[in-house]
Amino acid sequence: MDDEQVFHRTLWRRTPAVLHPRTPPMETLTVAELDRILDAGLLTTPYATLVREDGPVPEERYCFPRVVQGGIDNRYVDAGAVRRLIGEEGAVLLLRYVDQWHAGVRELADGLAECFQRQVEAFFFLTPPGTRGRPVHRVDADVLAVQIHGSERWRVYPGPLDGNWQPERVDGDPGDPLLDVVLRQGEVLYVPRGFAYAAEATGGSASAHLSFTVHEAGSAHLYAVLEALLMDGDGLPARPNDDAALSGAASDLIAHCRRTLAGLTPEELVHLARGAMRREQHPVGGTLSALLDDPVVSAR
C-alpha cells in the first residue's frame, strides 16, 4: 500500500512515531554546509539565533554591525562568536525559515506542502551534547524532524484535551511520555500537532536535525477568509448620501452575504483557509514519500 496512505491512516494526528525511510534527505543541509554558510558572513537575525532552555541568548553577544548602504545594520551573525557560545556555554543554534533562503530545503518543503496541502516551514537546530534547547512545549504544527547528525533523545507527551490550547511551554509535570526514544542519523520523528515534546542531544558530539512544521488552519484563518469573501464584490458606495441610500446599501450587503454563504460549504471554507496560509510556492519535486519511503514505524 502507498506509504503516504499508511501514514495518514495510522499516524497522522494520532500518535508520535519514528520513521526509517530508505532514502532520508540527509544531504539537504549538512553540518559541513552549515559551517560554510556561517563563514560566508551573510546570515542575519532572525534567520539565525542562539537559544537556551531558559530563553534566547542576547543578540549583541553574537552579532556585529556592518555599514550597508550608508546605514548601520547590527543583525549580522559572527561565526566565531556563535561557535564559542555553542562550545563554551552550551547555546543552541537555531536557523529559522530555512525554506525561505536555502534551495534544497525549499524544494523538500514545497514537496511536503503539495502533499499535505498545507503551509510547510523548515527550521534547523544544532545542539551541543547533553543540552536541551527548549523546555517541554507545544507547537501549532505537525512536526517531521530529520536527524542529520549525531543523536537526540526525544520525549513526546499527549496532545491537548480540547481546541483551546496555546502553543507554549508546558509548566509542571507533563506526566509519562507517549514516546521516549533516541533519534539517530537518517531517522525521522513525527510529532502530531499540539503534542508536547522536548529534545536533548545525546552522545559525545553535537546533534543536528532539520524540522519541517506542517501548519494547520485555525479559527482566526476561517474568520479572515470568510471576511474576505463577504467583502469581495459587493460594489457598495463608500459614502451613501442619505438614509435611503444607506438602507439600500445595507440591503445589498445582506443580500450579497446571503448569496455568498448559501454557496459555501464548511469543507470549501477550510480548503480556502489552508490555501490562504500558504505562500506562493513552486514545487520542483519530492513528496511525503521522501520521508516515508518504505518506513519501518516504531510507536508506543
Side-chain angles (χ1 to χ4, degrees), residues 46-103:
Y47 285 112
T49 58
L50 290 175
V51 298
R52 296 193 184 93
E53 184 175 358
D54 59 354
V57 177
E59 292 182 8
E60 58 267 22
R61 297 200 62 197
Y62 60 90
C63 291
F64 66 97
R66 280 183 179 171
V67 177
V68 180
Q69 290 188 330
I72 302 296
D73 191 328
N74 295 302
R75 300 173 302 146
Y76 283 91
V77 172
D78 184 315
V82 166
R83 293 188 177 104
R84 184 174 62 255
L85 288 167
I86 292 174
E88 297 178 1
E89 300 186 19
V92 176
L93 176 61
L94 165 59
L95 303 182
R96 291 189 173 96
Y97 310 111
V98 187
D99 54 294
Q100 294 183 8
W101 51 270
H102 187 280

Side-chain angles (χ1 to χ4, degrees), residues 200-269:
E200 179 180 344
T202 61
S205 65
S207 165
H209 74 268
L210 183 61
S211 283
F212 293 93
T213 56
V214 184
H215 294 271
E216 182 59 280
S219 297
H221 301 102
L222 300 179
Y223 277 118
V225 170
L226 185 58
E227 181 182 18
L229 289 173
L230 293 177
M231 292 294 292
D232 182 41
D234 54 24
L236 298 178
R239 289 167 290 278
N241 290 331
D242 52 33
D243 288 349
L246 185 60
S247 295
S251 177
D252 291 342
L253 177 59
I254 291 171
H256 166 69
C257 291
R258 285 173 175 166
R259 288 192 301 270
T260 301
L261 294 175
L264 184 65
T265 66
E267 293 76 18
E268 183 181 6
L269 182 59

Side-chain angles (χ1 to χ4, degrees), residues 116-274:
F116 286 109
Q117 287 298 295
R118 291 169 174 84
Q119 182 190 61
V120 175
E121 296 172 332
F123 301 82
F124 188 97
F125 294 82
L126 181 68
T127 307
T131 301
R132 189 168 75 167
R134 295 192 64 188
V136 179
H137 64 287
R138 305 182 191 276
V139 299
D140 192 10
D142 294 85
V143 175
L144 288 162
V146 184
Q147 190 68 29
I148 301 297
H149 179 82
S151 60
E152 201 156 357
R153 183 179 182 182
W154 291 73
R155 295 179 178 92
V156 185
Y157 301 89
L161 298 177
D162 56 39
N164 296 313
W165 59 280
Q166 295 295 324
E168 59 190 8
R169 67 180 294 162
V170 177
D171 294 318
D173 183 7
D176 295 328
L178 296 174
L179 185 66
D180 186 345
V181 64
V182 174
L183 201 67
R184 306 187 188 281
Q185 288 180 224
E187 297 180 329
V188 177
L189 177 71
Y190 169 64
V191 180
R193 179 190 183 207
F195 279 49
Y197 66 88
E200 179 180 344
T202 61
S205 65
S207 165
H209 74 268
L210 183 61
S211 283
F212 293 93
T213 56
V214 184
H215 294 271
E216 182 59 280
S219 297
H221 301 102
L222 300 179
Y223 277 118
V225 170
L226 185 58
E227 181 182 18
L229 289 173
L230 293 177
M231 292 294 292
D232 182 41
D234 54 24
L236 298 178
R239 289 167 290 278
N241 290 331
D242 52 33
D243 288 349
L246 185 60
S247 295
S251 177
D252 291 342
L253 177 59
I254 291 171
H256 166 69
C257 291
R258 285 173 175 166
R259 288 192 301 270
T260 301
L261 294 175
L264 184 65
T265 66
E267 293 76 18
E268 183 181 6
L269 182 59
V270 169
H271 175 75
L272 292 172
R274 288 171 176 164

